[in-house]
Amino acid sequence: MKNFVRKAVIPSVVATSFLFPASANALAEFKINEESNVWISLLLQLRGEWIENGQADGSGWRSDFYIRRARILFGGTINRYVDFFVETDNPNMGKDVPIKDNDGNIIGYKSNNDTKTFIQDAWIRLKFAKEFNIVMGQILLPFSHNNATGATSLLGVEYNLTVVKFPPTSNFVWRDYGVEIMGLIPLPKGSLDYRMGIFDGVETLKNPDNGVWINKDDNYRFTGRVQYNLFDAEGFYYKGTYLGKKKIVSFGAGFDYQKDAAADDYEAPTKVDDYKAWTVDMFIDYPLSQGDVATFQIGYINYDYGNTGNPNDGDAIYMETGYLFNKKVGIGKIEPLLRYQSFNSSSSTGIDDTGLYVGVAYWIDGIRANIKAEYEFDGGDGKDQDVFTLQAQILF
């Protein structure tokens, strides 16, 4: 514990003191004419991690500083009917990767400086009416509230990554290529947010050794979501918190299906079946009378990989909550956080994984400038490691 305090807590306090001396500025926006504009923005998340028993010999606290996300966001409006969005990313640059000997034993670590910048989102939207839009391109899958949340506005340090078990060849960072219809339907009380799409999903593949095909007929992937908003509605990308700027109470459900897209092995399949998944979730982000904000989210996901025995077959649950105090402490506001996520595999080859996280967010200028810290308790996933994470974010 003394080594942890020396290697993690002290650098954390020092970093907090100088990373954000002033509020971040607004993004740059350029008006072309009365209907057209373009804008550009930058997301930068810098992260430090301290991993218990993480050194090469399995002892001590190993530290790791790296760039979690470095994104350029670019979008605009052509006219009242057409808008677009493109986003790049260069994730995990400098993150430690293990060095192994010929027997597979870890003998050291090195920073990964071979990461590449790539297109992560790219879509065009046709806005016929608030109730009906068509989106085409590389789109974040409309499935759960967790996976449809933008990385700029997460409540905690990270997504609930453990609970996302899409087929490994069916997505690129939870995105897929296709066409989606979406809209917001006003109701007597609240509104209904719907999103339904057809996507590439898992592509065709034949195992030459046994003649077994994955998705031989090139079937579409069907993914969709409906969400009932009791008060305010959310945008194209959901947020992990609105920091009191909206009153959100929502109940959602989603599905994900592709025929012949489940397999035991996506490189050399021997068993193939239909892939199915469904989810339900609730999200609350509620401003209180004194200016404080209470946030709570919970979701359940069921993954069905048929009779393939795929380790991702099973169910998952996630929960996160926070309470934002409106009174400033220094240059920002404090929000204690709690997260829990769990995946239970129904396959004999699967691994059950549970994570419990206690943390705090320090909102200096909302999502534009903040610092977050989380402590993850060992979840029984075989690693026997607690992890402390510190992250600084700017959105310019």
Side-chain angles (χ1 to χ4, degrees):
M1 181 57 70
K2 290 182 178 179
N3 286 336
F4 169 70
V5 172
R6 176 176 58 84
K7 296 191 68 177
V9 176
I10 293 175
S12 301
V13 173
V14 174
T16 303
S17 66
F18 69 81
L19 275 174
F20 292 111
S23 297
N25 296 318
L27 56 82
E29 184 173 355
F30 308 94
K31 183 177 179 181
I32 298 174
N33 56 45
E34 292 303 318
E35 289 191 318
S36 303
N37 67 80
V38 294
W39 57 266
I40 188 168
S41 184
L42 169 70
L43 171 66
L44 185 61
Q45 293 177 345
L46 307 180
R47 185 174 293 186
E49 289 181 345
W50 291 264
I51 304 98
E52 184 187 23
N53 302 325
Q55 296 180 16
D57 62 356
S59 67
W61 287 84
R62 176 171 59 85
S63 61
D64 185 12
F65 295 94
Y66 61 98
I67 300 172
R68 176 62 183 97
R69 294 179 177 94
R71 297 183 179 181
I72 298 173
L73 301 83
F74 179 77
T77 299
I78 304 301
N79 55 41
R80 59 184 295 189
Y81 301 109
V82 183
D83 64 357
F84 68 94
F85 177 69
V86 179
E87 176 182 53
T88 69
D89 200 5
N90 191 331
N92 299 323
M93 186 171 182
K95 184 176 176 63
D96 285 354
V97 293
I99 303 170
K100 297 183 179 180
D101 61 19
N102 293 333
D103 296 324
N105 301 309
I106 296 177
I107 58 174
Y109 290 88
K110 65 177 180 179
S111 294
N112 179 16
N113 296 315
D114 296 328
T115 60
K116 305 297 182 183
T117 298
F118 51 77
I119 299 293
Q120 181 161 275
D121 296 80
W123 50 260
I124 297 171
R125 176 168 54 177
L126 306 179
K127 302 182 291 183
F128 295 99
K130 182 171 65 174
E131 296 82 2
F132 183 75
N133 299 263
I134 299 176
V135 185
M136 298 169 285
Q138 183 182 0
I139 308 167
L140 196 62
L141 285 163
F143 182 59
S144 70
H145 197 285
N146 175 62
N147 84 267
T149 298
T152 62
S153 60
L154 297 175
L155 180 64
V157 167
E158 191 55 87
Y159 290 96
N160 298 295
L161 298 171
T162 295
V163 306
V164 183
K165 301 292 183 180
F166 296 135
T169 62
S170 72
N171 67 103
F172 180 70
V173 200
W174 305 353
R175 278 81 172 166
D176 204 353
Y177 308 96
V179 180
E180 173 183 303
I181 60 171
M182 63 180 299
L184 188 67
I185 301 174
L187 299 174
K189 179 65 175 178
S191 59
L192 185 69
D193 177 339
Y194 75 91
R195 306 164 186 220
M196 311 282 178
I198 56 173
F199 302 93
D200 280 343
V202 176
E203 300 283 12
T204 300
L205 176 70
K206 179 183 178 180
N207 184 343
D209 295 330
N210 57 21
V212 173
W213 288 82
I214 300 176
N215 192 14
K216 180 180 180 181
D217 298 324
D218 195 23
N219 302 294
Y220 288 123
R221 175 191 204 160
F222 297 94
T223 308
R225 173 176 175 80
V226 292
Q227 177 174 301
Y228 171 62
N229 304 303
L230 185 59
F231 299 109
D232 294 333
E234 301 189 67
F236 187 96
Y237 295 98
Y238 299 144
K239 290 186 177 181
T241 176
Y242 291 86
L243 300 173
K245 296 181 179 179
K246 283 190 175 186
K247 182 187 293 185
I248 304 293
V249 176
S250 71
F251 305 90
F255 69 91
D256 195 20
Y257 170 79
Q258 189 174 11
K259 183 176 175 57
D260 296 335
D264 57 341
D265 186 329
Y266 282 87
E267 295 182 356
T270 63
K271 295 180 181 179
V272 171
D273 207 333
D274 297 345
Y275 159 74
K276 301 180 286 290
W278 62 272
T279 183
V280 290
D281 52 58
M282 178 177 70
F283 178 65
I284 299 172
D285 196 57
Y286 204 87
L288 305 175
S289 57
Q290 67 270 33
D292 296 355
V293 181
T295 303
F296 177 76
Q297 179 175 194
I298 189 170
Y300 170 84
I301 308 174
N302 180 272
Y303 297 96
D304 184 355
Y305 282 77
N307 65 357
T308 64
N310 188 290
N312 286 343
D313 190 287
D315 55 11
I317 188 170
Y318 61 94
M319 182 277 294
E320 58 186 33
T321 186
Y323 190 91
L324 173 63
F325 293 97
N326 188 42
K327 184 178 180 180
K328 273 193 171 185
V329 177
I331 59 174
K333 298 178 181 181
I334 292 177
E335 182 170 13
L337 307 169
L338 178 68
R339 287 199 299 130
Y340 173 83
Q341 58 178 334
S342 177
F343 174 73
N344 297 307
S345 177
S346 59
S347 170
S348 59
T349 61
I351 298 176
D352 296 342
D353 194 358
T354 300
L356 175 64
Y357 310 76
V358 176
V360 62
Y362 189 55
W363 304 100
I364 299 170
D365 190 9
I367 66 172
R368 297 163 63 204
N370 56 76
I371 296 174
K372 298 175 185 177
E374 279 187 345
Y375 191 94
E376 176 188 3
F377 296 91
D378 171 45
D381 57 3
K383 296 180 181 178
D384 192 28
Q385 293 174 320
D386 290 1
V387 180
F388 174 73
T389 302
L390 176 71
Q391 176 176 285
Q393 169 176 309
I394 61 166
L395 177 66
F396 174 80

